[in-house]
């Protein structure tokens, strides 16, 4: 027996097996091309923003990579805001989530740099800093997305009254 998804949480069209990709993103190759173009354009913007933050806030040897930690926490916060807005407010904007969520915020946040930073801290003889960074990033990112989702949902519901 298949249960219905919670009415508070949206079904992701990327993983909902009851809906085809063509139906989720528009019929035919033109719809897929538009989604890919939106993701690529957004990704270029997000990755460029991450690069600029890294240049403006360099990490000294042996210290926590604060720029990457902040990038991932802020990115998760913005993903929390975005997901509430695209699932409850701007539900007809089919390219918004691929452009902003997958593209900009996916390009802005970085698991690969986070992993390399941890490896580098360990290799440089700073395992305590590596563990602190590992935990702080996970806790900060989860707290950011949770707080942003709850706050945005409360604001959306308040504005509807």
């Amino acid at each position: 027996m298949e249960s219905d998804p919670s009415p508070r949480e949206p079904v992701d069209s990327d993983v909902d097996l009851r809906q085809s990709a063509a139906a989720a993103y528009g019929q035919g190759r033109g719809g897929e091309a538009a989604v890919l173009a939106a993701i690529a354009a957004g990704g270029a913007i997000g990755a460029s923003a991450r690069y600029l933050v890294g240049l403006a806030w360099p990490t000294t040897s042996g210290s926590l990579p604060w720029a990457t930690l902040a990038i991932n926490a802020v990115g998760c916060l913005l993903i929390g805001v975005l997901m509430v807005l695209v699932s409850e407010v701007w539900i007809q904007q089919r390219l918004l989530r691929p452009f902003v969520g997958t593209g900009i915020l996916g390009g802005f946040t970085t698991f690969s740099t986070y992993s390399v930073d941890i490896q580098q801290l360990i290799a440089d003889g700073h395992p305590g800093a590596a563990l602190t960074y590992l935990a702080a990033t996970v806790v900060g990112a989860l707290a950011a997305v949770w707080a942003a989702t709850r706050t945005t949902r409360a604001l959306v519901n308040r504005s509807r009254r």
Side-chain angles (χ1 to χ4, degrees), residues 59-143:
T59 300
T60 59
S61 180
S63 68
L64 291 182
W66 291 105
T68 305
L69 194 151
I71 284 166
N72 286 332
V74 168
C76 285
L77 184 134
L78 294 173
I79 287 168
V81 171
L82 176 71
M83 291 312 294
V84 171
L85 294 177
V86 299
S87 64
E88 297 180 21
V89 178
W90 302 319
I91 56 177
Q92 298 300 321
Q93 305 298 320
R94 106 180 155 84
L95 294 179
L96 185 62
R97 188 181 68 153
F99 175 69
V100 178
T102 307
I104 293 175
L105 297 175
F108 184 65
T109 56
T110 173
F111 184 75
S112 59
T113 301
Y114 165 68
S115 299
V116 170
D117 288 342
I118 293 168
Q119 288 176 331
Q120 192 63 50
L121 285 167
I122 292 169
D124 290 347
H126 304 284
L131 287 173
T132 299
Y133 175 55
L134 182 130
T137 298
V138 171
V139 170
L142 289 173

Side-chain angles (χ1 to χ4, degrees), residues 20-47:
S20 71
Y25 290 125
Q27 300 299 322
R29 293 215 182 267
E32 293 171 8
V35 170
L36 291 176
I39 292 169
I45 293 167

